[in-house]
Structures are given as structure tokens and as C-alpha cells.
């Protein structure tokens, strides 16, 4: 058979209903909604829409642009991880939210095996979770909210009080989650809190469940420090102070800023006058950090030192 005729036949092999559903999944990565499905099926049936035009309409919709940007970011992150080259100096188009930076930064640093906690998975981008599920790690989703995800152990718990043993996790990932701990999470169906200081409790608790030398990858929005109710914004010094207070050591860190040309690395980032949503749909800047916890490193932070000294003195005080 002539391959062109074969392709022409293949294009009409499935029913209109299957074709529409498949196109939605491939291009927009979601099931077709009732209204769009009914419109497409009616028009395909009465001949006012062809399959080629329907595919073109979907592929050029603004929703598809967002899918492509995130897919590009995921492809970049996974390929870098396969090469063993963590991504730095990333770039992404203007008008996008911070996930196009956070996701490849984190994916390119994903440990290739072992038990990996994804904290705040319940509202994570589906393609990002799908990429983690495909990565071969033993994935554990932690969130106070619930979500039905097959192929992943789910722990519905507060990250500040995890029902997990000490030193049982090989890596933990927090993508735009830490800034919400202790904040008003009613938008996620949770209780409203006003306890931003408890973000340090979350980091300490993660330090407890991580194995020695395991890493914690944290991405958070950057900007002029302030409480926005549903999250807490901080500058680089603010976030680093929080990491240090939790006894964590910064192994690697990059700041990124959304400029008129798009997302760019911002090594000398200055938070003055930089607000949330000022330059695009969400954060104007983001801080990506790889943290580690280790006995020696715990000693190296002021808070870690005092906690270690107190712990060491505890039996002594008891005896005296
Ligand atoms: C902005 S969403 C996270 C975004 C997501 N990680 C992503 O990749 O797009 C914040 C998440 O944190 C969760 N959350 C807030 N406070 C929490 C806590 N104390 N313990 C566990 N999860 C919490 C919320 O339920 C929500 O799923």
C-alpha cells in the first residue's frame, strides 16, 4: 500500500468520538469537556469541521501553549537528569509562571532511585507528577489534602508532623509548597492558619526523615518580604535564614527572575520593589535550593549548634 494512502486511511480509522478524546489527551493532556466534545462531534458530523482543522484549533489554543511550555520544561529536566547534568542558568519564555523553571530544576536533580517524598503533590501539575511516576523512583506523595494518584504511596499528613520513621527517605521535593505551610490554605480545602514561623518546623521534620547526606530540593517564590495570607513571600536572606534555623545546609542555590525577555538566572537578585504577580501570572522571581542535613553540617549552623549542645547536655543535666 502507498504509505500516503495508508496514512490517509489511518487518520479516519477511529470513530469521531475516539478521535476527539484522543486529540484532547495528546494536545491538551486532559479529557474533553462536555461542551467542546458536543460542539466538535456535531460539526464533524455535519461536515463544517474536518479532523485536520480540529487538530489545528486545539494545537493553537492558549491552553495548548501552557501545556507545551511545561512539557518543554519537563523534557529538558528529564534529559539533563539522564545525562547526570543538573540544569543551571535556565531560560523560559515571558508570560509564564514559575513552574517552567522550578520543574526542570528539580527534575534534573532527582535521585535516580530510592524513596522520594513529593511534598504538596495534591495540587501539583499533572505532567510533573506523571514525569515523577515515570522516573522509576519509589514515589511518596505527602499532603494535608488528598488526591487520587495510582502508582504512588500517599501520605495524608502535615509535613510538620510526618508519620514516617527517622532516616527513611532518600530525597524530598517541595515545589512552591514551603511558602504555604502555616498559611491560609482554605483555597486548598484546608484550615486557615497564621503560623509562618512553622515553616522551619516543616524543614526540621523533613530533616528528621531524610537519610544522612540525602538532599531536600526546595523551590519558593522570591520578592519583597511580606505575608500574603495564603503564602509568605521572602527575599534570599529570609529564605536562607529559615533554612539555617532548621539546621539545613545550602548545597546549591540559584535565583531566577521573570524579566521582559522571560525567565533568567538572577545571581544578584534584589527583592526591593519586586511583588508577587508584578511581571507575569504568578511569582516574579523564584529561589531554587538543594539542601542537605548531616551531623557535621547541623553543627555548622548557629541553631543546629545550640540544639546539638543542648541534646548532648541533656543526660548530663539529668545526672546532676
Ligand atoms: C501551591 S500548592 C503546591 C504546588 C505543587 N507542589 C506544584 O508542584 O504545583 C501547596 C500545597 O501545599 C499543601 N499544604 C499546605 N500546608 C501543608 C502542610 N502543613 N502539610 C502538608 N501539605 C500542606 C496544600 O494542600 C497544597 O497541596
Amino acid at each position: 500500500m502507498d504509505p500516503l494512502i495508508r496514512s490517509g486511511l489511518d487518520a479516519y480509522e477511529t470513530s469521531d468520538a475516539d478521535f476527539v478524546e484522543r486529540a484532547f489527551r495528546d494536545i491538551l493532556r486532559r479529557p474533553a469537556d462536555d461542551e467542546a466534545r458536543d460542539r466538535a462531534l456535531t460539526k464533524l458530523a455535519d461536515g463544517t469541521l474536518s479532523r485536520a482543522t480540529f487538530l489545528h484549533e486545539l494545537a493553537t489554543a492558549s491552553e495548548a501553549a501552557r501545556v507545551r511550555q511545561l512539557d518543554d520544561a519537563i523534557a529538558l529536566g528529564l534529559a539533563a537528569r539522564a545525562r547526570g547534568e543538573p540544569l543551571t542558568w535556565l531560560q523560559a519564555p515571558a508570560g509564564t509562571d514559575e513552574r517552567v523553571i522550578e520543574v526542570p530544576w528539580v527534575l534534573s536533580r532527582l535521585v535516580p532511585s530510592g524513596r522520594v517524598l513529593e511534598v504538596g503533590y495534591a495540587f501539583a501539575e499533572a505532567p510533573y507528577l506523571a514525569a515523577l511516576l515515570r522516573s522509576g523512583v519509589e514515589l511518596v506523595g505527602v499532603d494535608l489534602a488528598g488526591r487520587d494518584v495510582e502508582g504512588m504511596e500517599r501520605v495524608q499528613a502535615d509535613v510538620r508532623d510526618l508519620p514516617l520513621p527517622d532516616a527513611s527517605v532518600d530525597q524530598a521535593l517541595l515545589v512552591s509548597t514551603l511558602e504555604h505551610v502555616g498559611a491560609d490554605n482554605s483555597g486548598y480545602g484546608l484550615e486557615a492558619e497564621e503560623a509562618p514561623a512553622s515553616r522551619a518546623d516543616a524543614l526540621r521534620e523533613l530533616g528528621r526523615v531524610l537519610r544522612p547526606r540525602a538532599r531536600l530540593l526546595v523551590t519558593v517564590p522570591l520578592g519583597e518580604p511580606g505575608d500574603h495570607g495564603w503564602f509568605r513571600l521572602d527575599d534570599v536572606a529570609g529564605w536562607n535564614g529559615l533554612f539555617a534555623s532548621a539546621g539545613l545546609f545550602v548545597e546549591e542555590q540559584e535565583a531566577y527572575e521573570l524579566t521582559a525577555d522571560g525567565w533568567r538566572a538572577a545571581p544578584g537578585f534584589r527583592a526591593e520593589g519586586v511583588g508577587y504577580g508584578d511581571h507575569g501570572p504568578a511569582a516574579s522571581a523564584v529561589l531554587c535550593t538543594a539542601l542537605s542535613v548531616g551531623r557535621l553540617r547541623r553543627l555548622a549552623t548557629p541553631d543546629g549548634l545550640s540544639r546539638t549542645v543542648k541534646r548532648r547536655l541533656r543526660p548530663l543535666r539529668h545526672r546532676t
Side-chain angles (χ1 to χ4, degrees), residues 30-290:
R30 65 170 173 87
D33 52 282
D34 290 345
E35 195 186 329
R37 184 190 301 107
D38 291 350
R39 175 192 163 273
L41 289 179
T42 305
K43 294 181 83 108
L44 286 166
D46 69 19
T48 53
L49 180 69
S50 70
R51 290 194 176 191
T53 296
F54 179 65
L55 291 175
H56 174 78
E57 278 181 5
L58 281 194
T60 52
S62 58
E63 187 182 343
R66 162 88 175 121
V67 172
R68 279 202 323 276
Q69 284 152 0
L70 198 57
D71 219 29
D72 290 349
I74 288 169
L76 204 64
L78 289 180
R81 177 198 169 216
R83 293 193 305 272
E85 289 171 9
L87 292 170
T88 52
W89 297 92
L90 278 159
Q91 297 194 357
T96 51
D97 68 45
E98 61 272 28
R99 294 296 181 276
V100 292
I101 293 295
E102 298 172 288
V103 163
W105 202 91
V106 166
L107 285 180
S108 71
R109 288 165 177 79
L110 184 67
V111 291
S113 61
R115 205 163 153 77
V116 175
L117 291 194
E118 214 298 325
V119 183
Y121 81 97
F123 289 88
E125 297 283 352
Y128 162 65
L129 282 186
L132 290 177
L133 286 167
R134 285 189 281 121
S135 68
V137 300
E138 190 190 328
L139 192 62
V140 182
V142 172
D143 204 301
L144 263 173
R147 183 176 187 180
D148 186 14
V149 183
E150 262 177 48
M152 183 179 90
E153 184 184 329
R154 284 166 291 155
V155 176
Q156 193 160 358
D158 194 316
V159 62
R160 294 164 291 187
D161 184 16
L162 293 169
L164 300 172
D166 293 1
S168 58
V169 170
D170 297 288
Q171 192 169 40
L173 319 173
L174 285 93
V175 173
S176 277
T177 293
L178 187 60
E179 70 273 22
H180 296 281
V181 172
D184 178 356
N185 281 296
S186 48
Y188 301 109
L190 307 175
E191 277 182 27
E193 288 182 60
E194 278 183 56
S198 68
R199 292 170 302 164
D201 299 334
L203 292 171
R204 269 186 220 108
E205 181 65 346
L206 287 164
R208 177 184 71 76
V209 301
L210 282 168
R211 293 191 212 283
R213 287 178 295 282
R215 298 213 306 178
L216 176 60
L217 303 181
V218 179
T219 63
V220 282
L222 272 180
E224 208 161 86
D227 203 327
H228 291 245
W230 60 293
F231 72 97
R232 160 93 210 170
L233 194 59
D234 265 302
D235 55 15
V236 176
W239 285 116
N240 281 340
L242 190 75
F243 300 149
S245 74
L248 297 172
F249 180 83
V250 174
E251 296 251 353
E252 205 189 334
Q253 187 165 67
E254 271 195 310
Y256 285 89
E257 190 169 11
L258 183 51
T259 70
D261 296 327
W263 284 96
R264 296 288 182 269
F269 176 75
R270 296 178 65 82
E272 293 81 35
V274 179
Y276 190 86
D278 282 357
H279 302 156
S284 304
V286 72
L287 186 67
C288 303
T289 309

